[in-house]
PDB file of all heavy atoms in Angstrom:
ATOM      1  N   ILE C 340    -137.279 216.171  90.012  1.00 98.00           N
ATOM      2  CA  ILE C 340    -136.242 215.746  89.089  1.00 98.00           C
ATOM      3  C   ILE C 340    -135.885 216.916  88.176  1.00 98.00           C
ATOM      4  O   ILE C 340    -136.773 217.511  87.544  1.00 98.00           O
ATOM      5  CB  ILE C 340    -136.702 214.556  88.248  1.00 98.00           C
ATOM      6  CG1 ILE C 340    -137.083 213.358  89.167  1.00 98.00           C
ATOM      7  CG2 ILE C 340    -135.646 214.130  87.250  1.00 98.00           C
ATOM      8  CD1 ILE C 340    -137.733 212.196  88.441  1.00 98.00           C
ATOM      9  N   ALA C 341    -134.622 217.222  88.106  1.00 98.00           N
ATOM     10  CA  ALA C 341    -134.161 218.317  87.223  1.00 98.00           C
ATOM     11  C   ALA C 341    -134.280 217.914  85.778  1.00 98.00           C
ATOM     12  O   ALA C 341    -134.265 216.724  85.411  1.00 98.00           O
ATOM     13  CB  ALA C 341    -132.718 218.690  87.571  1.00 98.00           C
ATOM     14  N   PRO C 342    -134.395 218.899  84.869  1.00 97.00           N
ATOM     15  CA  PRO C 342    -134.363 218.582  83.472  1.00 97.00           C
ATOM     16  C   PRO C 342    -133.074 217.855  83.105  1.00 97.00           C
ATOM     17  O   PRO C 342    -132.039 218.015  83.757  1.00 97.00           O
ATOM     18  CB  PRO C 342    -134.448 219.957  82.791  1.00 97.00           C
ATOM     19  CG  PRO C 342    -135.111 220.838  83.816  1.00 97.00           C
ATOM     20  CD  PRO C 342    -134.640 220.332  85.136  1.00 97.00           C
ATOM     21  N   ALA C 343    -133.125 217.048  82.059  1.00 96.00           N
ATOM     22  CA  ALA C 343    -131.970 216.239  81.648  1.00 96.00           C
ATOM     23  C   ALA C 343    -130.727 217.132  81.474  1.00 96.00           C
ATOM     24  O   ALA C 343    -130.792 218.168  80.840  1.00 96.00           O
ATOM     25  CB  ALA C 343    -132.265 215.518  80.334  1.00 96.00           C
ATOM     26  N   GLY C 344    -129.636 216.685  82.093  1.00 96.00           N
ATOM     27  CA  GLY C 344    -128.389 217.403  81.987  1.00 96.00           C
ATOM     28  C   GLY C 344    -128.183 218.511  82.994  1.00 96.00           C
ATOM     29  O   GLY C 344    -127.093 219.083  83.056  1.00 96.00           O
ATOM     30  N   GLU C 345    -129.194 218.807  83.811  1.00 97.00           N
ATOM     31  CA  GLU C 345    -129.064 219.882  84.808  1.00 97.00           C
ATOM     32  C   GLU C 345    -128.891 219.303  86.193  1.00 97.00           C
ATOM     33  O   GLU C 345    -129.210 218.149  86.468  1.00 97.00           O
ATOM     34  CB  GLU C 345    -130.306 220.774  84.750  1.00 97.00           C
ATOM     35  CG  GLU C 345    -130.485 221.526  83.443  1.00 97.00           C
ATOM     36  CD  GLU C 345    -131.637 222.499  83.477  1.00 97.00           C
ATOM     37  OE1 GLU C 345    -132.123 222.823  84.592  1.00 97.00           O
ATOM     38  OE2 GLU C 345    -132.064 222.957  82.374  1.00 97.00           O
ATOM     39  N   ASN C 346    -128.337 220.142  87.097  1.00 98.00           N
ATOM     40  CA  ASN C 346    -128.126 219.782  88.500  1.00 98.00           C
ATOM     41  C   ASN C 346    -127.346 218.479  88.660  1.00 98.00           C
ATOM     42  O   ASN C 346    -127.625 217.671  89.533  1.00 98.00           O
ATOM     43  CB  ASN C 346    -129.457 219.657  89.248  1.00 98.00           C
ATOM     44  CG  ASN C 346    -130.203 220.976  89.345  1.00 98.00           C
ATOM     45  OD1 ASN C 346    -129.811 221.983  88.781  1.00 98.00           O
ATOM     46  ND2 ASN C 346    -131.300 220.973  90.102  1.00 98.00           N
ATOM     47  N   LEU C 347    -126.328 218.286  87.834  1.00 97.00           N
ATOM     48  CA  LEU C 347    -125.552 217.073  87.904  1.00 97.00           C
ATOM     49  C   LEU C 347    -124.804 216.950  89.206  1.00 97.00           C
ATOM     50  O   LEU C 347    -124.543 215.849  89.695  1.00 97.00           O
ATOM     51  CB  LEU C 347    -124.578 217.009  86.713  1.00 97.00           C
ATOM     52  CG  LEU C 347    -125.229 217.002  85.330  1.00 97.00           C
ATOM     53  CD1 LEU C 347    -124.150 216.887  84.238  1.00 97.00           C
ATOM     54  CD2 LEU C 347    -126.233 215.856  85.202  1.00 97.00           C
ATOM     55  N   ASP C 348    -124.458 218.109  89.843  1.00 97.00           N
ATOM     56  CA  ASP C 348    -123.785 218.064  91.133  1.00 97.00           C
ATOM     57  C   ASP C 348    -124.753 217.665  92.253  1.00 97.00           C
ATOM     58  O   ASP C 348    -124.333 217.399  93.379  1.00 97.00           O
ATOM     59  CB  ASP C 348    -123.179 219.427  91.456  1.00 97.00           C
ATOM     60  CG  ASP C 348    -124.218 220.536  91.561  1.00 97.00           C
ATOM     61  OD1 ASP C 348    -125.236 220.471  90.846  1.00 97.00           O
ATOM     62  OD2 ASP C 348    -124.010 221.469  92.372  1.00 97.00           O
ATOM     63  N   GLU C 349    -126.066 217.593  91.932  1.00 98.00           N
ATOM     64  CA  GLU C 349    -127.075 217.199  92.890  1.00 98.00           C
ATOM     65  C   GLU C 349    -127.745 215.873  92.440  1.00 98.00           C
ATOM     66  O   GLU C 349    -128.871 215.588  92.776  1.00 98.00           O
ATOM     67  CB  GLU C 349    -128.108 218.279  93.068  1.00 98.00           C
ATOM     68  CG  GLU C 349    -127.526 219.545  93.674  1.00 98.00           C
ATOM     69  CD  GLU C 349    -128.622 220.571  93.991  1.00 98.00           C
ATOM     70  OE1 GLU C 349    -129.235 221.093  93.041  1.00 98.00           O
ATOM     71  OE2 GLU C 349    -128.854 220.868  95.192  1.00 98.00           O
ATOM     72  N   ASP C 350    -126.998 215.107  91.644  1.00 97.00           N
ATOM     73  CA  ASP C 350    -127.462 213.817  91.146  1.00 97.00           C
ATOM     74  C   ASP C 350    -128.729 213.907  90.313  1.00 97.00           C
ATOM     75  O   ASP C 350    -129.527 212.963  90.219  1.00 97.00           O
ATOM     76  CB  ASP C 350    -127.695 212.841  92.282  1.00 97.00           C
ATOM     77  CG  ASP C 350    -126.408 212.537  93.071  1.00 97.00           C
ATOM     78  OD1 ASP C 350    -125.319 212.716  92.496  1.00 97.00           O
ATOM     79  OD2 ASP C 350    -126.485 212.173  94.255  1.00 97.00           O
ATOM     80  N   GLY C 351    -128.926 215.092  89.710  1.00 98.00           N
ATOM     81  CA  GLY C 351    -130.108 215.266  88.862  1.00 98.00           C
ATOM     82  C   GLY C 351    -131.395 215.562  89.570  1.00 98.00           C
ATOM     83  O   GLY C 351    -132.457 215.623  88.952  1.00 98.00           O
ATOM     84  N   TRP C 352    -131.328 215.781  90.894  1.00 98.00           N
ATOM     85  CA  TRP C 352    -132.526 216.140  91.649  1.00 98.00           C
ATOM     86  C   TRP C 352    -132.721 217.656  91.620  1.00 98.00           C
ATOM     87  O   TRP C 352    -131.796 218.406  91.280  1.00 98.00           O
ATOM     88  CB  TRP C 352    -132.431 215.629  93.086  1.00 98.00           C
ATOM     89  CG  TRP C 352    -132.274 214.175  93.223  1.00 98.00           C
ATOM     90  CD1 TRP C 352    -131.179 213.515  93.715  1.00 98.00           C
ATOM     91  CD2 TRP C 352    -133.203 213.131  92.866  1.00 98.00           C
ATOM     92  NE1 TRP C 352    -131.350 212.162  93.673  1.00 98.00           N
ATOM     93  CE2 TRP C 352    -132.582 211.884  93.177  1.00 98.00           C
ATOM     94  CE3 TRP C 352    -134.466 213.133  92.323  1.00 98.00           C
ATOM     95  CZ2 TRP C 352    -133.213 210.660  92.955  1.00 98.00           C
ATOM     96  CZ3 TRP C 352    -135.114 211.901  92.097  1.00 98.00           C
ATOM     97  CH2 TRP C 352    -134.482 210.695  92.421  1.00 98.00           C
ATOM     98  N   ALA C 353    -133.887 218.100  92.040  1.00 98.00           N
ATOM     99  CA  ALA C 353    -134.197 219.517  92.066  1.00 98.00           C
ATOM    100  C   ALA C 353    -135.041 219.885  93.285  1.00 98.00           C
ATOM    101  O   ALA C 353    -135.652 219.006  93.879  1.00 98.00           O
ATOM    102  CB  ALA C 353    -134.939 219.931  90.781  1.00 98.00           C
ATOM    103  N   ASP C 354    -135.051 221.160  93.632  1.00 98.00           N
ATOM    104  CA  ASP C 354    -135.945 221.602  94.668  1.00 98.00           C
ATOM    105  C   ASP C 354    -137.370 221.376  94.227  1.00 98.00           C
ATOM    106  O   ASP C 354    -137.683 221.482  93.029  1.00 98.00           O
ATOM    107  CB  ASP C 354    -135.732 223.099  94.975  1.00 98.00           C
ATOM    108  CG  ASP C 354    -134.338 223.395  95.485  1.00 98.00           C
ATOM    109  OD1 ASP C 354    -133.632 222.454  95.866  1.00 98.00           O
ATOM    110  OD2 ASP C 354    -133.961 224.600  95.474  1.00 98.00           O
ATOM    111  N   VAL C 355    -138.250 221.044  95.158  1.00 98.00           N
ATOM    112  CA  VAL C 355    -139.627 220.760  94.798  1.00 98.00           C
ATOM    113  C   VAL C 355    -140.260 221.973  94.100  1.00 98.00           C
ATOM    114  O   VAL C 355    -140.117 223.085  94.521  1.00 98.00           O
ATOM    115  CB  VAL C 355    -140.443 220.404  96.072  1.00 98.00           C
ATOM    116  CG1 VAL C 355    -141.929 220.238  95.724  1.00 98.00           C
ATOM    117  CG2 VAL C 355    -139.885 219.121  96.686  1.00 98.00           C
ATOM    118  N   GLY C 356    -140.887 221.695  92.975  1.00 97.00           N
ATOM    119  CA  GLY C 356    -141.556 222.745  92.227  1.00 97.00           C
ATOM    120  C   GLY C 356    -140.684 223.414  91.179  1.00 97.00           C
ATOM    121  O   GLY C 356    -141.169 224.308  90.459  1.00 97.00           O
ATOM    122  N   THR C 357    -139.407 223.023  91.101  1.00 97.00           N
ATOM    123  CA  THR C 357    -138.519 223.631  90.105  1.00 97.00           C
ATOM    124  C   THR C 357    -138.067 222.650  89.048  1.00 97.00           C
ATOM    125  O   THR C 357    -137.344 223.012  88.140  1.00 97.00           O
ATOM    126  CB  THR C 357    -137.237 224.206  90.810  1.00 97.00           C
ATOM    127  OG1 THR C 357    -136.442 223.116  91.284  1.00 97.00           O
ATOM    128  CG2 THR C 357    -137.615 225.113  91.926  1.00 97.00           C
ATOM    129  N   GLY C 358    -138.542 221.408  89.144  1.00 98.00           N
ATOM    130  CA  GLY C 358    -138.133 220.369  88.201  1.00 98.00           C
ATOM    131  C   GLY C 358    -139.228 219.953  87.257  1.00 98.00           C
ATOM    132  O   GLY C 358    -140.118 220.719  86.916  1.00 98.00           O
ATOM    133  N   THR C 359    -139.156 218.709  86.836  1.00 98.00           N
ATOM    134  CA  THR C 359    -140.030 218.184  85.792  1.00 98.00           C
ATOM    135  C   THR C 359    -141.234 217.394  86.302  1.00 98.00           C
ATOM    136  O   THR C 359    -142.127 217.024  85.518  1.00 98.00           O
ATOM    137  CB  THR C 359    -139.216 217.270  84.845  1.00 98.00           C
ATOM    138  OG1 THR C 359    -138.696 216.147  85.604  1.00 98.00           O
ATOM    139  CG2 THR C 359    -138.085 218.023  84.203  1.00 98.00           C
ATOM    140  N   VAL C 360    -141.290 217.143  87.594  1.00 98.00           N
ATOM    141  CA  VAL C 360    -142.405 216.369  88.145  1.00 98.00           C
ATOM    142  C   VAL C 360    -143.640 217.249  88.273  1.00 98.00           C
ATOM    143  O   VAL C 360    -143.551 218.385  88.798  1.00 98.00           O
ATOM    144  CB  VAL C 360    -142.015 215.759  89.505  1.00 98.00           C
ATOM    145  CG1 VAL C 360    -143.200 214.973  90.085  1.00 98.00           C
ATOM    146  CG2 VAL C 360    -140.796 214.843  89.358  1.00 98.00           C
ATOM    147  N   ASP C 361    -144.795 216.733  87.878  1.00 98.00           N
ATOM    148  CA  ASP C 361    -146.054 217.480  87.961  1.00 98.00           C
ATOM    149  C   ASP C 361    -146.572 217.372  89.370  1.00 98.00           C
ATOM    150  O   ASP C 361    -147.530 216.680  89.683  1.00 98.00           O
ATOM    151  CB  ASP C 361    -147.069 216.879  86.974  1.00 98.00           C
ATOM    152  CG  ASP C 361    -148.436 217.531  87.103  1.00 98.00           C
ATOM    153  OD1 ASP C 361    -148.515 218.667  87.665  1.00 98.00           O
ATOM    154  OD2 ASP C 361    -149.446 216.893  86.711  1.00 98.00           O
ATOM    155  N   TRP C 362    -145.953 218.163  90.288  1.00 97.00           N
ATOM    156  CA  TRP C 362    -146.348 218.067  91.673  1.00 97.00           C
ATOM    157  C   TRP C 362    -147.733 218.655  91.967  1.00 97.00           C
ATOM    158  O   TRP C 362    -148.406 218.175  92.869  1.00 97.00           O
ATOM    159  CB  TRP C 362    -145.293 218.672  92.589  1.00 97.00           C
ATOM    160  CG  TRP C 362    -144.307 217.608  92.960  1.00 97.00           C
ATOM    161  CD1 TRP C 362    -142.996 217.517  92.636  1.00 97.00           C
ATOM    162  CD2 TRP C 362    -144.608 216.426  93.727  1.00 97.00           C
ATOM    163  NE1 TRP C 362    -142.443 216.367  93.133  1.00 97.00           N
ATOM    164  CE2 TRP C 362    -143.427 215.678  93.806  1.00 97.00           C
ATOM    165  CE3 TRP C 362    -145.742 215.931  94.343  1.00 97.00           C
ATOM    166  CZ2 TRP C 362    -143.341 214.464  94.481  1.00 97.00           C
ATOM    167  CZ3 TRP C 362    -145.677 214.740  95.023  1.00 97.00           C
ATOM    168  CH2 TRP C 362    -144.495 214.031  95.093  1.00 97.00           C
ATOM    169  N   ALA C 363    -148.168 219.587  91.180  1.00 97.00           N
ATOM    170  CA  ALA C 363    -149.540 220.124  91.398  1.00 97.00           C
ATOM    171  C   ALA C 363    -150.537 219.001  91.149  1.00 97.00           C
ATOM    172  O   ALA C 363    -151.460 218.756  91.969  1.00 97.00           O
ATOM    173  CB  ALA C 363    -149.780 221.309  90.484  1.00 97.00           C
ATOM    174  N   GLY C 364    -150.393 218.303  90.019  1.00 97.00           N
ATOM    175  CA  GLY C 364    -151.341 217.225  89.701  1.00 97.00           C
ATOM    176  C   GLY C 364    -151.214 216.042  90.611  1.00 97.00           C
ATOM    177  O   GLY C 364    -152.216 215.441  91.050  1.00 97.00           O
ATOM    178  N   LEU C 365    -149.969 215.656  90.974  1.00 98.00           N
ATOM    179  CA  LEU C 365    -149.777 214.500  91.817  1.00 98.00           C
ATOM    180  C   LEU C 365    -150.187 214.785  93.259  1.00 98.00           C
ATOM    181  O   LEU C 365    -150.713 213.882  93.946  1.00 98.00           O
ATOM    182  CB  LEU C 365    -148.320 214.081  91.786  1.00 98.00           C
ATOM    183  CG  LEU C 365    -147.864 213.495  90.477  1.00 98.00           C
ATOM    184  CD1 LEU C 365    -146.347 213.357  90.371  1.00 98.00           C
ATOM    185  CD2 LEU C 365    -148.508 212.117  90.239  1.00 98.00           C
ATOM    186  N   THR C 366    -150.037 215.973  93.731  1.00 97.00           N
ATOM    187  CA  THR C 366    -150.506 216.318  95.069  1.00 97.00           C
ATOM    188  C   THR C 366    -152.039 216.203  95.136  1.00 97.00           C
ATOM    189  O   THR C 366    -152.599 215.674  96.115  1.00 97.00           O
ATOM    190  CB  THR C 366    -150.082 217.765  95.470  1.00 97.00           C
ATOM    191  OG1 THR C 366    -148.667 217.816  95.480  1.00 97.00           O
ATOM    192  CG2 THR C 366    -150.603 218.126  96.826  1.00 97.00           C
ATOM    193  N   ALA C 367    -152.696 216.681  94.127  1.00 97.00           N
ATOM    194  CA  ALA C 367    -154.157 216.581  94.075  1.00 97.00           C
ATOM    195  C   ALA C 367    -154.554 215.109  94.033  1.00 97.00           C
ATOM    196  O   ALA C 367    -155.531 214.701  94.721  1.00 97.00           O
ATOM    197  CB  ALA C 367    -154.713 217.270  92.823  1.00 97.00           C
ATOM    198  N   ALA C 368    -153.879 214.278  93.280  1.00 98.00           N
ATOM    199  CA  ALA C 368    -154.190 212.844  93.218  1.00 98.00           C
ATOM    200  C   ALA C 368    -153.952 212.155  94.547  1.00 98.00           C
ATOM    201  O   ALA C 368    -154.764 211.330  94.999  1.00 98.00           O
ATOM    202  CB  ALA C 368    -153.335 212.157  92.127  1.00 98.00           C
ATOM    203  N   LEU C 369    -152.885 212.511  95.228  1.00 98.00           N
ATOM    204  CA  LEU C 369    -152.614 211.929  96.544  1.00 98.00           C
ATOM    205  C   LEU C 369    -153.675 212.332  97.542  1.00 98.00           C
ATOM    206  O   LEU C 369    -154.145 211.492  98.348  1.00 98.00           O
ATOM    207  CB  LEU C 369    -151.229 212.373  97.053  1.00 98.00           C
ATOM    208  CG  LEU C 369    -150.051 211.612  96.420  1.00 98.00           C
ATOM    209  CD1 LEU C 369    -148.767 212.409  96.573  1.00 98.00           C
ATOM    210  CD2 LEU C 369    -149.906 210.211  97.007  1.00 98.00           C
TER     211      LEU C 369
END
């Protein structure tokens, strides 16, 4: 998920690892 107000042309999504989701922590949890 992109930071608020960014990547509006992509519906607010982001490339993995460039947004606000803690993928390092969530990958470890999964």
Side-chain angles (χ1 to χ4, degrees):
I340 301 172
E345 296 185 14
N346 294 8
L347 298 182
D348 62 328
E349 296 186 294
D350 299 336
W352 302 113
D354 298 345
V355 174
T357 68
T359 61
V360 178
D361 175 21
W362 270 113
L365 290 169
T366 299
L369 283 161

